[in-house]
Amino acid sequence: MGESMKRAFMARYENHITALSDYLEDLPDTDEPFWILGRRYHIKSERPALLLDISSRLWFTYRKKFSPIGGTGPSSDAGWGCMLRCGQMILAQTLVCCHLGREWRWEKDKRQPEPYSRILKCFLDRKDSCYSIHQMAQMGVGEGKSVGEWFGPNTVAQVLKKLALFDEWNTLAVYVSMDNTIVIEDIKKLCKIHHKNKNSTTDTSAQAGAFSYNHIHLHKSRTGRSHAASGYHSIWKPLLLLVPLRLGINHINPVYIESLKECFKMPQSLGVLGGKPNNAYYFIGFVGDELIYLDPHSTQSAIDPESSKVVDDVSYHCQRIPQRMKIVNLDPSVALGFFCKDEKEFDCWCSFVHKDILKKPSFRMFELVQKHPEHWPPFVPPTKPEVSTTGAEFVESADKLFESEEEFEILNA
């Protein structure tokens, strides 16, 4: 059987299984709380609110009949793009929190605020959309993944980090942890943009970061004057924090399960990228010992909004009963996601981590440290390469800014 036939068969099989599983059972009638991205619900009294919250998340699935990736590549991601779609979902949730707020809700046929439409257009299946399947697949080439090859959660995290450099609307700071370690000092370097005060010559450029941190730091070291005394003030860029982890060898180690649950309870939670071998899911919460997830394994036709200014968005919201899986069945390769809109939220997140994740030193999923480890290479916040597009042309230049961590890539989807 040829490769294209195999993928077509897999796509039909996945769609069939998904369709069946959606109707096998309802949500459990339990007294245990449901946690969805930092929000707590009781199914017996808050079922409509729970389902509305879940259906409001942007849902990205396989698509077909889009323009070929790279001009001659595949025109569908069925059978290989599930982790890329999950990466789109966690990033979309980031943008929703940034522009609309965590309390925003979507309802069919209800007029939505302008930023919603703009967020959705970032993910359309077009080569010129900032976070399209085209951009993600081509950027993956720089991470050693051919177009049409399965990604793991760490590769998707690295791809999002690179693509965010070209997103001038959102100006996100994307931090991907290394060696299970999150460095507070590095995150604050990454997120703080330094501008001149109004009574100084103002740098109004929308480019990243505008003024590089190293330039400011050098200025201070040479003059001995603080940023404030030199006429500078700091602005915090919204932070997308991604934490790729291995929580076991072949299966998740049960010692990490309670800490994983705590992550979904944090107000800054964006959920978790992960799944099972050859099947990636976007996990948005849990109830008891089951994870709740959005499944990208349905193939829909691509939407081209050329003829209309308004995108038909119904197919981007899952309105079925959410699916669940036992936490013990989770593949150990995962990537945790968190969003901190400002420095205060990041400081609060650090407090949550110290209180709820690091309280058992022998069972820590990751480390949170104040200072950059001395044995690591110096941390330099990345800047946008001098190129005009976000296609395959800049993969080589952008790749020089980052290092891939292939040890996380056990998950094959």
Side-chain angles (χ1 to χ4, degrees):
M1 183 182 292
E3 191 63 29
S4 60
M5 292 182 64
K6 285 182 181 179
R7 286 178 180 165
F9 174 79
M10 285 182 59
R12 289 196 297 269
Y13 175 78
E14 289 169 344
N15 288 346
H16 179 66
I17 294 299
T18 299
L20 287 176
S21 62
D22 286 334
Y23 299 99
L24 287 178
E25 58 180 335
D26 202 343
L27 293 174
D29 185 18
T30 176
D31 291 325
E32 293 195 76
F34 283 70
W35 284 94
I36 304 294
L37 301 177
R39 299 297 184 271
R40 178 173 178 164
Y41 296 95
H42 292 282
I43 188 65
K44 293 182 178 179
S45 60
E46 299 175 292
R47 179 188 173 91
L50 168 65
L51 294 177
L52 181 59
D53 191 352
I54 294 172
S55 66
S56 295
R57 302 313 109 212
L58 280 168
W59 177 50
F60 298 115
T61 71
Y62 291 153
R63 296 276 174 169
K64 61 183 179 180
K65 300 180 181 179
F66 50 67
S67 60
I69 296 174
T72 59
S75 56
S76 171
D77 62 311
W80 61 270
C82 50
M83 183 59 82
L84 280 73
R85 295 301 184 178
C86 291
Q88 288 181 324
M89 285 191 268
I90 202 169
L91 182 58
Q93 180 60 21
T94 303
L95 301 186
V96 165
C97 290
C98 187
H99 295 285
L100 303 174
R102 177 63 184 86
E103 302 308 319
W104 169 81
R105 297 293 182 266
W106 176 86
E107 294 181 54
K108 186 178 179 180
D109 299 324
K110 180 180 178 181
R111 184 179 177 84
Q112 297 297 334
E114 189 276 335
Y116 166 77
S117 178
R118 193 168 179 182
I119 291 170
L120 190 53
K121 288 179 179 179
C122 290
F123 299 92
L124 294 181
D125 301 300
R126 301 162 46 125
K127 63 181 181 180
D128 57 349
S129 294
C130 189
Y131 301 109
S132 66
I133 193 74
H134 299 67
Q135 300 288 10
M136 295 187 72
Q138 289 188 287
M139 188 59 84
V141 173
E143 294 297 317
K145 300 292 183 180
S146 302
V147 174
E149 186 177 354
W150 278 309
F151 282 33
N154 180 65
T155 299
V156 167
Q158 299 294 341
V159 164
L160 294 178
K161 177 177 165 181
K162 292 181 179 182
L163 287 178
L165 293 174
F166 299 87
D167 181 0
E168 295 184 355
W169 174 44
N170 295 292
T171 60
L172 287 174
V174 181
Y175 180 92
V176 181
S177 66
M178 292 177 55
D179 296 336
N180 299 350
T181 303
I182 300 165
V183 183
I184 295 173
E185 177 184 50
D186 293 348
I187 287 177
K188 296 205 171 186
K189 283 183 182 180
L190 177 66
C191 291
K192 287 185 177 180
I193 308 172
H194 299 282
H195 290 281
K196 289 186 178 181
N197 291 326
K198 291 183 178 180
N199 57 354
S200 304
T201 302
T202 305
D203 180 3
T204 59
S205 151
Q207 303 172 1
F211 228 45
S212 82
Y213 175 88
N214 288 340
H215 175 80
I216 301 296
H217 184 74
L218 181 63
H219 177 81
K220 178 181 176 182
S221 64
R222 286 178 176 173
T223 63
R225 301 168 66 192
S226 67
H227 299 333
S230 301
Y232 297 108
H233 69 281
S234 296
I235 298 175
W236 180 273
K237 294 171 66 176
L239 170 66
L240 167 56
L241 171 57
L242 296 170
V243 188
L245 298 172
R246 285 284 302 171
L247 301 180
I249 300 176
N250 296 316
H251 301 89
I252 185 172
N253 189 324
V255 300
Y256 297 119
I257 289 178
E258 289 306 314
S259 293
L260 184 64
K261 289 181 180 181
E262 291 296 331
C263 292
F264 287 107
K265 296 179 181 180
M266 295 180 184
Q268 299 84 3
S269 175
L270 293 173
V272 175
L273 302 178
K276 298 181 291 186
N278 301 336
N279 286 280
Y281 305 125
Y282 174 39
F283 297 98
I284 58 173
F286 76 93
V287 55
D289 292 320
E290 294 180 326
L291 295 171
I292 300 168
Y293 64 91
L294 295 179
D295 187 354
H297 299 91
S298 296
T299 304
Q300 306 183 79
S301 293
I303 292 178
D304 187 350
E306 288 289 352
S307 60
S308 175
K309 293 183 179 180
V310 179
V311 177
D312 181 6
D313 65 344
V314 174
S315 66
Y316 291 101
H317 293 273
C318 184
Q319 299 171 72
R320 303 189 291 250
I321 296 298
Q323 298 190 63
R324 310 188 310 279
M325 66 174 280
K326 295 288 187 182
I327 300 179
V328 293
N329 294 331
L330 182 68
D331 187 279
S333 285
V334 299
L336 315 181
F338 304 95
F339 174 71
C340 301
K341 191 168 186 177
D342 52 38
E343 188 171 10
K344 181 179 179 181
E345 284 194 11
F346 176 64
D347 291 338
C348 288
W349 179 82
C350 292
S351 296
F352 281 121
V353 169
H354 282 296
K355 176 176 175 290
D356 298 321
I357 304 298
L358 305 182
K359 57 187 177 184
K360 296 180 179 179
S362 59
F363 301 144
R364 290 179 176 179
M365 289 195 299
F366 56 83
E367 295 292 334
L368 178 64
V369 299
Q370 184 68 43
K371 295 293 184 180
H372 186 85
E374 293 183 0
H375 62 282
W376 283 16
F379 178 79
V380 179
T383 56
K384 177 181 174 181
E386 294 298 324
V387 293
S388 58
T389 69
T390 55
E393 314 89 81
F394 69 64
V395 167
E396 182 177 352
S397 61
D399 189 51
K400 297 176 183 178
L401 300 173
F402 305 95
E403 294 182 0
S404 179
E405 299 173 67
E406 292 299 320
E407 63 267 25
F408 294 110
E409 299 303 304
I410 304 301
L411 182 65
N412 293 318

